[in-house]
Amino acid sequence: MNRLASLVLILLLGLAAHANEKPNVLFISIDDLNDYISPLDNHPNIVTPHFERLAKRSVTFTNAHCASPACHPSRVAVMTGVHPVKSGIYRNLFRAHGPRWRHESKVLENAVVLSQHFRDHGYHAAGGGKIFHTLQWTPGDSQNDPDAWDEYRGDPLDPISADWPRPASTLVDQNEGFVGTRPLSNHYLGAAVIEEPDETHGDHLVVDWALEKLNEKRDEPLFLAVGLFRPHIPFEVSQRWFDLYPMDKVELPPYRADDLDDAHPHGRVSWHKWVTENKKWKHLMRGYLASISYVDHQVGRLLDGLDQSGLKENTIVVLWTDHGFHIGEKDNWEKFALWEQTTRVPLFIHAPGVSQDGQSTRQPTTLTDLYPTLCELAGLPVPKQCTGTSLVSRLKSPAETDGRTSLTSFVWNEDNNTTDVASHGLSSEKWRYIKHANGREELYDLIHDRNEFTNLAEDPKYAEIKQGFQKHLPEQPAMNVKIPVDSPYHGGRSRSNTKSPNIANRPLNLSFEVTPDPARPDGVIASHGGEFHGYSIYVKQGQLVFAVRHNKELFEIQSDAPGEGPFVVEARLKKDGSLLLAIDGEEVAKGKAPGLITNRPNEGALLRDDDQSPVGKYSTPFPYRGQVKNASPAK
């Protein structure tokens, strides 16, 4: 064999070896990011150069939608490939410590998580940040499955709380001086500057870890999931990101005061009322935009790291967000609705040698399509559990569409009672159709009415359009699931008040044996109720406090908290409204409320934290790290 033939053979063998090499996967999840980013062009003057950069090196799905407009159901749907209409998980379900979704839904009991599926087929599966649902302020409340990963950054069941210490300015009472009561209390619906450098906390630390994983040498291909928390509330990032959006340049979204007249109510008008009455709309918009630019910077760091790692040419890149987000559109804040602003999500996919990078597609897409798409790209079998359809054909031919619609499903909370029947939103290339469980319909022309101001559902001219969508509605959607309190992954008590005592119009005679944690003495010892009615006993900054909420008004008495040793705390509310606080049988404080608690609280009784609306001057859940148990009060 001559030299030229030998070189050709070596080249062919090298190409064959590369062709048989499994692609790596960089799987980027972002929390609460809507379509304001510049590639989706839904907000003027947004600064997102790295999303633009990603769009040039991937296919942009401009008509992608979440499976459910809430964190937990959306993320479970992505990571299992199972849509809520099959699993029954439509809403956020809190107080989990592990993959409780396996018991929330029998359909998911043996579901194979996406990372687990890749690991089972020879990949090294690494994850960090928020992939399954967790929050900055609820340590230990996580639906992650530790068994689905070869490794996870930090504690997989408490993956982000330590990364996001809150600015000191937010730790004081943030309701003082405002009209009404701030939604979520203590600046969770707020925007503030973090003084510490970006490099010391937050998503920057998660990206630092991800860059290390990209540069580690290993024999097996890598499945790397990176979960970024911003722009989730509270909108707290460094000053440099706020500086991009001077207050006088901040633009609010298009708005109509009568927008809800022809639409389904969402239950958060009170949020918008608080924001507007306190003149905080522009401030919060500025914080959200600043948080978007912050996370754009982290995406840029990931792209830089991928390029420098030597893995770029053989790495699939997927970036998705769990749902859309409202900043006052339709008087709504956050998500939990079925309009396009709530359901539309950024989605970018790059597949080496497959995707027509730099192009976009209007193919209606649901995020449950990601699981089978990644399987096809990596040459893996698609598990039978998956309900989505691969998008590989759209990566190859972005201009074409196949006639399918997206499907987003949600269960509304009607009159403070969660129904069991789902409502559904569907999108085509031009239209948005919503069919509510109560039979109400909404139809919007997204080409001529991008803001969904005018509901055309009652116009007979569009009957044929509605009929076309009705063919795509799920025939037998699963009923809404409940929290399984007997699950081994249940992290605490249910939020329901049905098993809590009825304290309405009854004197309180409370007593608890308490053993403090000297290292972390603050926290809620006991609580029952929320922003309308209830009580709490808590320790904060060296003070032991007994708080009573009487028809929304808060009354507190307090005394110096005991030292490190165990003690018995007694708290009493008498018929005439007298308040008494005692430690080890000795009265230490007294005061007065208008009378007994007049209504049964709609939030349950808990020991060692308060995971809903606070009955006191603290930020929920404010967990107490010591030991607490009920005791018999002294006579």
Side-chain angles (χ1 to χ4, degrees), residues 315-334:
T315 297
I316 298 165
V317 179
V318 176
L319 184 146
W320 58 282
T321 73
D322 49 1
H323 41 68
F325 203 82
H326 284 234
I327 302 287
E329 296 94 339
K330 290 188 176 293
D331 290 345
N332 195 28
W333 287 81
E334 293 196 308

Side-chain angles (χ1 to χ4, degrees), residues 353-500:
V354 177
S355 55
Q356 298 298 305
D357 296 341
Q359 297 189 37
S360 63
T361 177
R362 282 291 295 168
Q363 171 68 60
T365 301
T366 309
L367 288 182
T368 43
D369 297 334
L370 287 179
Y371 200 134
T373 300
L374 287 172
C375 287
E376 182 175 349
L377 290 173
L380 309 186
V382 179
K384 292 182 179 180
Q385 71 199 37
C386 289
T387 60
T389 304
S390 172
L391 299 170
V392 171
S393 59
R394 291 294 75 76
L395 295 175
K396 296 177 179 178
S397 304
E400 298 177 11
T401 58
D402 58 16
R404 80 176 95 163
T405 61
S406 67
L407 174 63
T408 304
S409 302
F410 186 57
V411 166
W412 291 94
N413 194 331
E414 305 279 7
D415 299 323
N416 294 320
N417 291 307
T418 302
T419 63
D420 291 327
V421 182
S423 300
H424 310 284
L426 302 94
S427 282
S428 66
E429 292 180 65
K430 179 180 178 181
W431 298 92
R432 180 75 180 167
Y433 172 74
I434 303 172
K435 180 65 177 291
H436 295 285
N438 62 9
R440 188 168 189 172
E441 295 177 295
E442 298 179 48
L443 180 68
Y444 301 99
D445 181 344
L446 299 177
I447 303 300
H448 300 101
D449 182 20
R450 183 174 185 176
N451 299 296
E452 298 170 294
F453 285 144
T454 304
N455 179 8
L456 303 171
E458 299 302 317
D459 191 329
K461 289 191 301 185
Y462 303 101
E464 189 174 342
I465 300 293
K466 289 197 303 181
Q467 291 169 5
F469 275 111
Q470 289 162 359
K471 296 175 183 177
H472 294 278
L473 289 170
E475 293 184 0
Q476 292 183 312
M479 302 296 279
N480 182 54
V481 302
K482 311 298 182 185
I483 294 179
V485 295
D486 57 345
S487 167
Y489 302 115
H490 188 55
R493 285 73 56 195
S494 167
R495 286 171 166 249
S496 170
N497 71 344
T498 56
K499 295 183 180 180
S500 300

Side-chain angles (χ1 to χ4, degrees), residues 17 32 72 120 160 168-169 181 195 200 313 318 320 446 458 588 626:
D32 281 14
H72 171 49
D120 292 346
I160 66 171
S169 62
T181 302
E195 299 294 342
T200 62
E313 301 305 322
V318 176
W320 58 282
L446 299 177
E458 299 302 317
V588 294

Side-chain angles (χ1 to χ4, degrees), residues 17-204:
H18 185 73
N20 291 327
E21 186 180 348
K22 291 286 188 185
N24 304 294
V25 178
L26 176 58
F27 189 73
I28 306 169
S29 169
I30 300 180
D31 206 355
D32 281 14
L33 175 63
N34 67 10
D35 58 5
Y36 285 1
I37 60 174
S38 45
L40 297 182
D41 189 30
N42 200 20
H43 194 281
N45 305 320
I46 189 74
V47 182
T48 52
H50 299 294
F51 282 112
E52 294 176 20
R53 178 180 164 200
L54 177 60
K56 292 175 181 177
R57 53 195 285 179
S58 63
V59 171
T60 304
F61 287 79
T62 63
N63 198 11
H65 297 262
C66 59
S68 185
C71 291
H72 171 49
S74 175
R75 290 169 180 273
V76 167
V78 170
M79 296 304 291
T80 64
V82 181
H83 198 280
V85 298
K86 186 168 184 181
S87 70
I89 299 179
Y90 298 99
R91 298 180 59 87
N92 284 341
L93 298 172
F94 295 94
R95 301 192 63 77
H97 193 66
R100 197 182 61 200
W101 44 268
R102 295 193 182 279
H103 303 123
E104 292 165 2
S105 170
K106 288 294 184 183
V107 172
L108 299 180
E109 187 173 9
N110 298 307
V112 180
V113 174
L114 178 62
S115 56
Q116 178 184 355
H117 187 57
F118 273 74
R119 185 192 64 188
D120 292 346
H121 287 82
Y123 277 74
H124 179 82
K130 182 173 179 177
I131 303 299
F132 285 89
H133 188 222
T134 189
L135 287 171
Q136 173 183 357
W137 58 87
T138 56
D141 186 349
S142 169
Q143 294 258 19
N144 199 358
D145 185 353
D147 293 335
W149 311 90
D150 289 304
E151 61 172 310
Y152 209 90
R153 176 182 177 271
D155 182 353
L157 298 182
D158 187 11
I160 66 171
S161 66
D163 296 335
W164 288 103
R166 305 203 60 206
S169 62
T170 69
L171 301 181
V172 297
D173 182 14
Q174 291 294 327
N175 290 312
E176 204 169 309
F178 291 116
V179 177
T181 302
R182 178 191 295 273
L184 295 181
S185 180
N186 281 347
H187 231 314
Y188 288 126
L189 182 65
V193 171
I194 293 179
E195 299 294 342
E196 295 81 5
D198 286 348
E199 294 78 9
T200 62
H201 62 262
D203 294 331
H204 198 101

Side-chain angles (χ1 to χ4, degrees), residues 48 123 191 210 241 251 280 311 381 482 487 498 535 542 555 583 635:
T48 52
Y123 277 74
W241 309 113
E251 293 192 36
K280 288 295 181 182
L311 302 179
K482 311 298 182 185
S487 167
T498 56
Y535 72 82
F555 301 87
I583 299 174
K635 302 297 183 184

